Amino acid sequence: MPADRQSERDEWRLGLEPGEHHEREAVRVVALDDPVREWLERPVMLITVERLYWMIIALYAVASRGLMLGTRPLNPTEARQALAAFQTMHVGLTPGPPAAWIQLLDAAMLGAFGASDLTARLLFAIAGVALVLIALALRPFIGRTGALAMATMVVLSPSITYFSRSAATQVPALLAALAVLALFAAIARHTTVGRAIALGCAIGLALSADAQNLVVGASFVLALAMRGLWRVAAGEEAGLSIRIWWQQYSRLVSIVVIFAALFWVVMGSGFFSQPFFSAVVGSLRANWTAVGKPGPARDAFLASFVLYEFLIAAAALLGVFAVLTNFGGARSPLAVFSLIWTILAAVFFIVTPAFSPAWIVEILIPAILLGAVGIEALSRTRSWNLVFYPLAVLGLVTLNVQIIANFTIVAPDPSEALWARHALLFWSEPATAAGVRESLRTLISSGPVPVRSTWIAGDAPVLRWYLRDLRPAESAADADLIAGLADAPAGWPIAQRSSFDLQSWWRPDLRDLSIRQALRFVLLGRSWQPLESNEVTVLSRIANRSTPTTIYVPPAPASTAEVSSTAPTTAPAAPTTGAPTAAPSIAIMQPTP
């Protein structure tokens, strides 16, 4: 076919078909005449399954960390943290180590939104949401499926959710540790001065955030040492590699060290309120010294993994298998570090004589990271179809446990029967009983006179927090309200006496647990052992103070003989002005209303 005829034929095909000209013209006119419609129909973002899942996780993280945040009364540990922030806000006291910057941010929350149970936990709830979403920062290093698995396990974990809804410093401290890990992995791929500065600041904040983060630092150093020994054993010239690496990155290393040391010294010393080395020694001692240990840490942590965190336990076992066998190419530096971190954290917090229920989070976070590595490796193989559905079932059961532990069972209820008590594993430390706030408010507001001062016996941070608006009295005799004493001082008039359960706790023992009791605890939160409680007595007085009211007795009238004998002869006596003369008076004590 000639070229000119082929060109005419192509031109005819690319032209408008008969009958279509007016339709396209109409569309063009509508688009020009209706720009709003064109703007509304413009595609903005393609929502993939991964993006939709991230949106669901983010929304659920905000809901599970923020809803009913102030319903549960503060326990003694939370009350201590809140009182320190309250004093920083009102009195201007310098926050002391450890966790000086966390206390400072907590004080800012109280100052911005007022002091309450909700605002005392608000900072930690925000950190709990960030702890879920930081998996996005680790997504390039653990994979898309691994990041989703990590975020899912964190957002569903009953323990992490509970302590994210509490004033527990472990949550923001571990958030800083994961930020260090994400920045370190990002710098390993692409080094910049800004990332080096951010890494140094994050390291300083992480080391000064909580005493337990020193274990994280030891895990990181051990992982680097083991990696170096592995390379030496493989026949690599480690010395030459180190010299070349130092020549390339010595400037960035210096920046990281300077900023890390600066932030650690300033924050770790509590803004120089305490010598830095003394603060570090105190942090090390806090990780080992037992103060009022309520029970063996091994039993408490084992009970958490068996009855609460079975999803994380199963995923961590998959991660151990994947890293040790290099299944699916899982033996990366980050995977090896997560394995070392998990083992070291589990061994340390089980062996140490010190104990706190919140330390379970220190074991769960590295176990979740290890489990995410294993799930990412399995998702690339055909074994994923065999693993996905059992993990999904465990996730649904974990969701049920999370709802029970954070929203259904709010606090110990003294009104429940002894054979039907509900409890949480986290109550191995005393938990404030339900109704304490209401009982104290009733005593303050229903007395015969306004209560302005209080005296609290012993170290009772919960009572001090809920009576924080009253002026502290110098002694019990000078107070309008006495908390913690069964008897009032001599002569102190009692208007009301109220006794109620202040705290409850228990020591769960798996040796006394049957299968039926385990199912009742997982599905209903019913305890299989009795709870212990301590009672507190609060007294209010009749009046604030008693002041004498002086009543003067008028003088007796003089007799006629006395008047005539003393009257002058030159002038009549002046009339009496009615002023009282010196005479005995009677002071009658009356209570001032």
Side-chain angles (χ1 to χ4, degrees), residues 363-435:
I363 305 175
L364 290 176
I365 291 299
I368 288 174
L369 183 61
L370 179 61
V373 171
I375 291 176
E376 173 66 26
L378 289 173
S379 67
R380 301 173 184 174
T381 64
R382 294 182 179 180
S383 303
W384 175 244
N385 294 329
L386 301 175
V387 175
F388 173 76
Y389 294 103
L391 290 178
V393 172
L394 291 178
L396 292 177
V397 180
T398 303
L399 176 63
N400 176 74
V401 175
Q402 181 196 47
I403 293 174
I404 292 175
N406 290 277
F407 300 100
T408 303
I409 304 176
V410 178
D413 189 356
S415 63
E416 290 182 337
L418 296 178
W419 51 269
R421 295 294 294 269
H422 293 80
L424 303 178
L425 293 178
F426 316 118
W427 294 352
S428 53
E429 275 189 352
T432 305

Side-chain angles (χ1 to χ4, degrees), residues 23-180:
E23 183 179 355
R24 294 192 177 184
E25 185 69 21
V27 173
R28 185 179 61 84
V29 172
V30 170
L32 291 176
D33 294 342
D34 195 357
V36 176
R37 178 179 176 182
E38 182 184 5
W39 177 74
L40 292 176
E41 293 179 352
R42 183 181 303 168
V44 177
M45 181 180 62
L46 177 64
I47 300 180
T48 61
V49 174
E50 182 186 8
R51 290 180 178 177
L52 179 62
Y53 194 78
W54 277 113
M55 292 178 187
I56 295 173
I57 286 178
L59 291 176
Y60 185 72
V62 174
S64 61
R65 271 64 178 169
L67 292 179
M68 301 172 58
L69 191 59
T71 304
R72 185 176 73 244
L74 267 62
N75 61 30
T77 303
E78 293 179 282
R80 242 179 232 104
Q81 176 73 23
L83 283 172
F86 187 77
Q87 292 177 353
T88 300
M89 176 189 65
H90 276 277
V91 186
L93 295 179
T94 303
W101 62 272
I102 297 177
Q103 182 179 329
L104 190 63
L105 292 178
D106 196 14
M109 290 291 179
L110 297 182
F113 304 106
S116 65
D117 289 358
L118 188 149
T119 54
R121 298 187 176 117
L122 186 57
L123 170 67
F124 306 93
I126 295 174
V129 175
L131 194 63
V132 176
L133 299 181
I134 200 172
L136 276 171
L138 296 171
R139 179 176 175 270
F141 316 109
I142 61 177
R144 299 165 63 181
T145 307
L148 287 173
M150 178 180 178
T152 302
M153 287 185 284
V154 173
V155 79
L156 291 182
S157 170
S159 303
I160 297 177
T161 304
Y162 182 87
F163 291 109
S164 297
R165 297 168 55 84
S166 307
T169 57
Q170 284 78 13
V171 175
L174 285 170
L175 175 64
L178 289 179
V180 170

